[in-house]
Amino acid sequence: MATPEQSSISARPRAPLPVTAAVVLLWLMVAAMGWLVAVSAVMTAFRVSTRFSGSASALAFVEPLLFLVVAFAIGLAAVKVWTGRDWARRSVVIVSATLLATALATRAGLTFGTGLAGTFVLAALLVLLALPPSQRWCDRESGCHSPRIGEREEPPFLVVAELVMLWAAVVFALQTGTRAVLAEAGADRLGLVLVAAAVVHAVLNAGMTGRRRWGWLGTVGLSGIYVLWLAAAAVASAVGGGPWALPAVLALLPLVFLWALLKPETKSWCRPAT
């Protein structure tokens, strides 16, 4: 006869098949990123020994370090999806949809081999974690949610989307900036500016992730500065007869972030720590 402890254990809901499959795919991605980290580190060490010296040699290792950070983030998402945290599920869905759309738009995801494989993995993650069983697994109000879901408050969807995009922008700026510095083709100053901006935004993103008011205020201020700077550049180009469309379109990106940051759910989430 089953004991009460055994009955309670057997009564616990088990992870549905879509969640299990998505977590397996995420850990396979971690393994692939680990291989990429190792290859990138070896190749970077070889380039440093033949081309760079001083501070440039340290900057050269930013790329394998970013790969390592991405691998850690994917592993963290896999663990949190398995334990039923909805912010992790939403983050994977947002990133998968964004990367899938970019890969298809640029046709990089249609190339035979790694391109098609990556497209399949992203599409599978998007579908698996958007299915109702996955949503119920990460829903505290559902009767079949994860038994390890915990009682911590979940961030609103808008906050999750903002933080995912802000951290992605930091990774992109760091990679682009370091490559520009190491190219030494007149773009080193711009590269240093990008690296400095990425570091500042990383600090602010960490503050917002930790629900600190100063992180939200700093991001709002910088977004407003970017909007004004790009709008002024567009107006100056238009007055001077130059190309104004590009800065005008680019100004829309920080404007969207500013709109999202000023929404009530974002402001209430980034309340002062108590």
Side-chain angles (χ1 to χ4, degrees):
M1 185 174 181
T3 64
E5 290 82 2
Q6 291 173 333
S7 299
S8 63
I9 292 174
S10 61
R12 288 183 178 180
R14 296 185 177 181
L17 182 59
V19 172
T20 304
V23 170
V24 169
L25 284 177
L26 287 170
W27 281 117
L28 288 176
M29 291 177 66
V30 172
M33 289 300 302
W35 171 254
L36 189 59
V37 169
V39 172
S40 178
V42 170
M43 294 181 63
T44 301
F46 176 76
R47 289 201 308 268
V48 166
S49 65
T50 57
R51 291 182 55 191
F52 306 121
S53 61
S55 59
S57 61
L59 276 178
F61 283 96
V62 168
E63 186 167 281
L65 180 61
L66 287 177
F67 290 152
L68 182 62
V69 170
V70 172
F72 173 80
I74 297 173
L76 179 64
V79 172
K80 294 302 182 181
V81 167
W82 185 253
T83 56
R85 299 309 300 272
D86 199 43
W87 65 262
R89 183 189 69 84
R90 289 175 169 180
S91 298
V92 176
V93 168
I94 292 169
V95 173
S96 299
T98 304
L99 292 178
L100 184 61
T102 303
L104 293 177
T106 59
R107 304 187 69 82
L110 301 178
T111 57
F112 184 77
T114 55
L116 286 175
T119 298
F120 170 77
V121 171
L122 292 173
L125 284 173
L126 180 60
V127 171
L128 289 170
L129 292 179
L131 290 174
S134 300
Q135 296 183 33
R136 290 193 292 267
W137 178 254
C138 300
D139 184 3
R140 192 176 287 109
E141 304 300 324
S142 170
C144 53
H145 64 71
S146 167
R148 297 175 295 275
I149 198 169
E151 297 297 331
R152 294 187 64 180
E153 182 184 358
E154 288 285 348
F157 176 77
L158 188 62
V159 174
V160 174
E162 289 172 53
L163 287 173
V164 167
M165 295 305 174
L166 286 170
W167 279 115
V170 166
V171 172
F172 176 77
L174 271 176
Q175 186 175 26
T176 305
T178 52
R179 284 184 175 180
V181 172
L182 296 174
E184 297 180 356
D188 54 336
R189 186 170 299 178
L190 176 61
L192 288 174
V193 170
L194 281 174
V195 170
V199 171
V200 171
H201 276 288
V203 173
L204 295 176
N205 290 354
M208 277 192 63
T209 304
R211 306 184 67 175
R212 298 296 188 265
R213 195 72 171 178
W214 56 264
W216 175 79
L217 288 171
T219 308
V220 168
L222 284 178
S223 298
I225 291 172
Y226 295 152
V227 170
L228 294 175
W229 174 51
L230 290 168
V235 171
S237 296
V239 171
W244 57 270
L246 180 60
V249 171
L250 290 177
L252 295 177
L253 296 177
L255 185 62
V256 170
F257 273 109
L258 190 60
W259 168 81
L261 289 165
L262 294 176
K263 296 283 286 184
E265 53 264 43
T266 306
K267 291 196 290 186
S268 61
W269 176 257
C270 299
R271 64 178 182 269
T274 57

